Amino acid sequence: MDINFNKNEDQNKLKLSELKRKLAKVKLGGGKNRIEKHHAKGKMTARERIEYLLDDDAESIEIGAFAGEDMYEEHGGCPSGGVVVKVGYVQGKQCVVVANDATVKAGAWFPITGKKNLRAQEISIENRLPIIYLVDSAGVYLPMQDEIFPDKEHFGRIFRNNAVMSSMGITQIAAVMGSCVAGGAYLPIMSDEALIVDKTGSIFLAGSYLVKAAIGESIDNETLGGATTHSEISGVTDYKAKDDKDALDKIKNIVDKIGDFDKAGFNRVEAKKPAENPDDIFGLLPASRSDQYDMLEIIKRLVDDSEFEQYKEGYGQTILTGYARIDGWAVGIVANQRKVVKTKKGEMQFGGVIYSDSADKATRFIANCNQKKIPLVFLQDVTGFMVGSKSEHGGIIKDGAKMVNAVSNSVVPKFTIVIGNSYGAGNYAMCGKAYDPRLIVAWPSAELAVMSGNSAAKVLLQIEKASLEKSGKPVDAEKEKELFDKIKKRYDDQISPYYAAARLWTDAIINPLDTRKWISMGIEAANHAPIEKKFNMGVLQV
């Protein structure tokens, strides 16, 4: 191994250590003291409930662990958006599980909580996966009610989705394991089956204090909306559980009886491990986002037996396209080549840049995968499309538009891994969040933005300088450097993968060695949803 490999490995493993440290902190939710108080009430935490519900020794993936990261510090923070979401297996059946974390502001809904719940429902809808809600929430976080209550993608959309999912035949099971108040009371009751835990679970549109204020009636919360009331008087709930574990056992029994599902029919054979050592990824991936490397070597460490059948290998070389298998599943891979390549015409093309020929190749390959019903995997390390007169005169906008069109209209499931750069229109063409990937995750090395921190800082610096000089404040070299560093620091914070994950622009930041698991579980989930539309790219400027 050369010295650069060792330096890269050190830097990338440091980033992985940072990821593990941050995840450990997030998993504490509201903190150890609040967890102890939760246990004192005889309740399990959200993560403990999910761990007990999911099958032992089975794989699972967590969606949005960093949701809300550093976003609500003035309100005391909101780790994981106050809700834990996992895709895993219950009695051997793949399910989405959503659990309110009552150690975080009593499980109250912040704006990001609503967005994360909607993302969980979206995953369930797209893949026709059963969804299980473990409810323990004080309802909307009132100081921010204007950002969570009335809009199309706010709190109310959850219940609209409950109704739509039911009509689609998607199984929804809800267990009320703590508070379930106001509008939130509709979620469990709009599910197919609802359970409630005795003494700790309660459901009501208005609690005892509000009832007293509104109509003058004096009543305690247990009598108003406890387990006995709703299981024996109102008939609102279907099952009464004596404690958390009993409720979770009942859910397991319900899921165990669910019938088989129609399958999309994606191709799968016996899985093989990569022939090349996946650990090499840490040394192959440069520490600097501007350095070149061979993406083909990364692919060999992600795919079964390290076999990758390239499509149009000698054409449009700044994008690699080809067929492979991941954990036995057949996939089509579209990846940005990050090394400088030389064309047959003797021209040099920059790695990570999309040229007309590479966009044309990718478009054709995406169409082929749709024709063959092969899921698509996008490996992003892209700085954007090529600019300049030669590219403009050659129709780069037209060719880029064709690629965006193909990605937009693709009907096979798409999965996006942000390995390095994800800048500008390159993010779009390579299936960024706006283009409906079934799952989109980032490695700790990822950066997402309109452009790199260095480029953006230069542009913003010129604007700042012009503004200061116009107002009679000349900028000397020292002041210019100070301004540049300040602007770049602010911009670099925003291109961090944690900034993106906090806002759910990605579903997770993952260990690169978990990439195969995420893609495999994603395709398995997608296999629950037969493809009903035909691939059609509509009108194109050929």
Side-chain angles (χ1 to χ4, degrees):
M1 298 295 179
D2 62 28
I3 191 166
N4 284 332
F5 185 99
N6 293 333
K7 285 181 178 178
N8 293 338
E9 187 175 44
D10 289 344
Q11 286 297 315
N12 286 313
K13 288 195 172 178
L14 278 173
K15 289 179 180 178
L16 180 59
S17 295
E18 180 187 20
L19 170 63
K20 290 178 178 178
R21 178 179 57 78
K22 285 177 174 284
L23 278 172
K25 182 180 177 182
V26 157
K27 287 179 180 179
L28 289 175
K32 292 181 179 179
N33 289 339
R34 289 182 183 173
I35 289 173
E36 288 172 5
K37 289 179 181 178
H38 203 70
H39 287 161
K41 297 175 184 176
K43 298 166 69 174
M44 302 165 75
T45 66
R47 292 184 180 278
E48 289 167 345
R49 288 166 176 168
I50 292 177
E51 183 179 3
Y52 184 86
L53 179 64
L54 295 181
D55 295 347
D56 293 337
D57 301 322
E59 298 279 22
S60 66
I61 54 178
E62 181 171 353
I63 306 297
F66 290 111
E69 181 87 348
D70 296 330
M71 286 177 64
Y72 305 106
E73 296 309 302
E74 68 276 23
H75 296 279
C78 186
S80 278
V83 63
V84 182
V85 176
K86 286 195 176 185
V87 179
Y89 301 88
V90 178
Q91 301 297 94
K93 293 180 174 63
Q94 202 174 30
C95 300
V96 180
V97 184
V98 182
N100 299 115
D101 186 350
T103 70
V104 179
K105 290 287 192 295
W109 287 53
F110 283 68
I112 198 66
T113 317
K115 187 173 183 179
K116 186 170 174 179
N117 275 268
L118 288 170
R119 177 62 180 140
Q121 288 184 321
E122 181 181 42
I123 291 170
S124 173
I125 291 168
E126 286 182 329
N127 300 294
R128 305 294 194 274
L129 288 181
I131 187 167
I132 299 165
Y133 308 100
L134 306 180
V135 184
D136 193 345
S137 171
V140 166
Y141 183 61
L142 290 178
M144 301 187 75
Q145 66 85 27
D146 60 321
E147 296 181 48
I148 182 63
F149 170 65
D151 210 345
K152 180 178 179 179
E153 294 188 349
H154 283 177
F155 194 62
R157 188 75 172 182
I158 305 288
F159 317 128
R160 175 263 185 195
N161 285 351
N162 287 143
V164 170
M165 292 162 74
S166 183
S167 74
M168 294 171 68
I170 297 171
T171 298
Q172 299 178 85
I173 301 167
V176 179
M177 309 179 84
S179 296
C180 183
V181 302
Y186 287 105
L187 185 147
I189 311 313
M190 294 189 74
S191 298
D192 302 328
E193 294 183 270
L195 304 85
I196 188 168
V197 177
D198 195 23
K199 302 298 185 249
T200 56
S202 59
I203 311 171
F204 33 67
L205 295 181
S208 55
Y209 291 125
L210 187 54
V211 167
K212 176 69 173 177
I215 63 173
E217 181 183 3
S218 295
I219 189 169
D220 64 272
N221 283 338
E222 184 65 25
T223 305
L224 180 65
T228 300
T229 295
H230 286 310
S231 297
E232 301 176 17
I233 300 174
S234 72
V236 164
T237 53
D238 305 306
Y239 307 92
K240 180 181 177 181
K242 64 177 184 288
D243 55 27
D244 281 6
K245 287 187 176 181
D246 186 38
L248 297 169
D249 286 336
K250 289 180 186 298
I251 292 173
K252 291 180 184 182
N253 289 333
I254 294 168
V255 173
D256 187 51
K257 311 300 187 297
I258 296 174
D260 202 1
F261 56 91
D262 295 333
K263 296 174 179 63
F266 301 123
N267 185 296
R268 192 180 197 185
V269 299
E270 185 177 349
K272 295 180 181 178
K273 293 181 179 179
E276 302 287 347
N277 186 359
D279 282 324
D280 291 346
I281 287 171
F282 297 107
L284 292 166
L285 191 67
S288 170
R289 293 282 58 78
S290 60
D291 287 352
Q292 303 284 299
Y293 65 96
D294 190 352
M295 179 65 83
L296 185 58
E297 294 301 317
I298 301 291
I299 292 172
K300 287 179 181 178
R301 286 152 178 84
L302 294 176
V303 301
D304 289 14
D305 210 26
S306 299
E307 292 182 352
F308 180 57
E309 185 67 36
Q310 286 205 57
Y311 171 83
K312 290 185 181 289
E313 181 177 353
Y315 177 71
Q317 295 177 68
T318 63
I319 286 184
L320 299 171
T321 52
Y323 302 104
R325 289 190 182 275
I326 292 178
D327 199 32
W329 295 103
V331 296
I333 294 176
V334 181
N336 302 112
Q337 177 55 288
R338 281 291 292 147
K339 67 176 186 178
V340 174
V341 298
K342 189 174 183 179
T343 70
K344 294 295 183 183
K345 297 178 182 178
E347 298 172 337
M348 303 304 291
Q349 293 186 341
F350 298 104
V353 178
I354 302 175
Y355 290 78
S356 286
D357 55 357
S358 47
D360 175 64
K361 176 172 84 171
T363 300
R364 178 64 182 268
F365 181 71
I366 291 166
N368 280 348
C369 287
N370 275 271
Q371 181 86 342
K372 298 181 178 75
K373 201 158 74 173
I374 300 173
L376 285 159
V377 174
F378 292 83
L379 303 179
Q380 284 196 11
D381 195 344
V382 57
T383 53
F385 286 87
M386 190 58 191
V387 297
S389 61
K390 185 175 180 181
S391 292
E392 298 293 0
H393 296 171
I396 185 66
I397 296 175
K398 180 174 63 177
D399 291 319
K402 285 193 289 187
M403 184 176 173
V404 170
N405 191 310
V407 172
S408 302
N409 287 298
S410 179
V411 297
V412 295
K414 301 169 296 211
F415 302 90
T416 301
I417 315 297
V418 186
I419 289 175
N421 303 325
S422 181
Y423 296 156
N427 169 281
Y428 301 159
M430 290 295 294
C431 197
K433 184 64 182 288
Y435 292 82
D436 298 322
R438 295 293 176 95
L439 294 170
I440 176 170
V441 298
W443 288 2
S445 48
E447 293 185 354
L448 292 85
V450 171
M451 61 183 76
S452 72
N454 200 54
S455 298
K458 287 178 182 177
V459 173
L460 293 169
L461 175 64
Q462 295 309 311
I463 296 170
E464 184 80 9
K465 275 180 65 179
S467 175
L468 288 170
E469 288 169 354
K470 189 175 180 180
S471 61
K473 299 175 183 176
V475 179
D476 59 23
E478 185 178 342
K479 178 66 174 176
E480 183 172 325
K481 184 181 184 305
E482 182 186 329
L483 278 171
F484 178 83
D485 291 343
K486 181 181 176 182
I487 294 168
K488 188 174 185 302
K489 169 67 171 62
R490 184 175 70 240
Y491 199 87
D492 282 347
D493 289 342
Q494 294 180 2
I495 68 177
S496 159
Y498 295 98
Y499 190 93
R503 289 151 183 80
L504 290 173
W505 301 344
T506 60
D507 291 316
I509 303 171
I510 67 168
N511 182 339
L513 302 183
D514 287 336
T515 303
R516 284 169 53 85
K517 176 180 78 171
W518 275 79
I519 293 171
S520 178
M521 286 189 65
I523 298 175
E524 183 182 350
N527 204 36
H528 287 69
I531 298 172
E532 297 170 349
K533 293 196 303 182
K534 289 186 179 292
F535 177 65
N536 184 345
M537 287 178 58
V539 177
L540 288 173
Q541 297 288 339
V542 179

